[in-house]
Amino acid sequence: TIAASTFVHDITVAIRDILNDNMTDPLTRSGSERFVMTSYPERNDTRFPVVSVVTRNVSTLSPAGMRSESMWFDVPVEVRIWARNMRERDQLADQVINQLRTRQITGGAASTVQSTMYDMTLLSTVDVNEEGKQGIKSRIMVFRYTYIAG
């Protein structure tokens, strides 16, 4: 559930949970290791690939009506793939797009509409690849959701 008082955090966690519950992790992880996280990975102790989910630059679209305390918010969500090679990066990016696309209406309690997140749009994708065979291959995808608070 997305609460109006904590919607930025709640949306980040909702997207993380959708991806974490429905994507295939190429590694077997143990303990506190995470495949999908709500922060950027620490370089020294992270086993790649990982997926990070963060919200950024939330803005108000408009009031929901005259004399209404409800507001429409534009919520950009950055989902970043941190992979070991370009093939893995592309496969994980496809999984992210497909999971978020298919979880808008369907998915029961895990659907974004059920969580009051509407109108998913993929705004951009940018590849950021470190040089060399050992360099991290990354794709930054920015999705936008509309959230109605109030």
Side-chain angles (χ1 to χ4, degrees), residues 52-102:
S52 61
V53 179
V54 296
T55 49
R56 51 187 229 180
N57 304 323
V58 175
S59 61
T60 305
L61 286 177
S62 64
M66 291 180 61
R67 297 184 184 216
S68 173
E69 292 182 9
S70 297
M71 299 291 289
W72 293 58
F73 288 93
D74 207 14
V75 184
V77 178
E78 175 189 297
V79 179
R80 186 168 183 170
I81 306 297
W82 308 76
R84 298 169 290 188
N85 57 60
M86 287 188 274
R87 181 172 184 229
E88 184 175 67
R89 178 202 66 197
D90 293 345
Q91 290 172 339
L92 291 172
D94 287 343
Q95 281 190 55
V96 166
I97 291 168
N98 285 320
Q99 289 304 324
L100 295 180
R101 179 183 60 81
T102 59

Side-chain angles (χ1 to χ4, degrees), residues 122-141:
L122 176 58
L123 298 176
S124 67
T125 64
V126 176
D127 291 340
V128 180
N129 299 319
E130 294 177 4
E131 291 185 22
K133 191 169 183 161
Q134 299 302 317
I136 298 300
K137 309 307 181 212
S138 183
R139 176 164 295 154
I140 302 168
M141 298 175 285

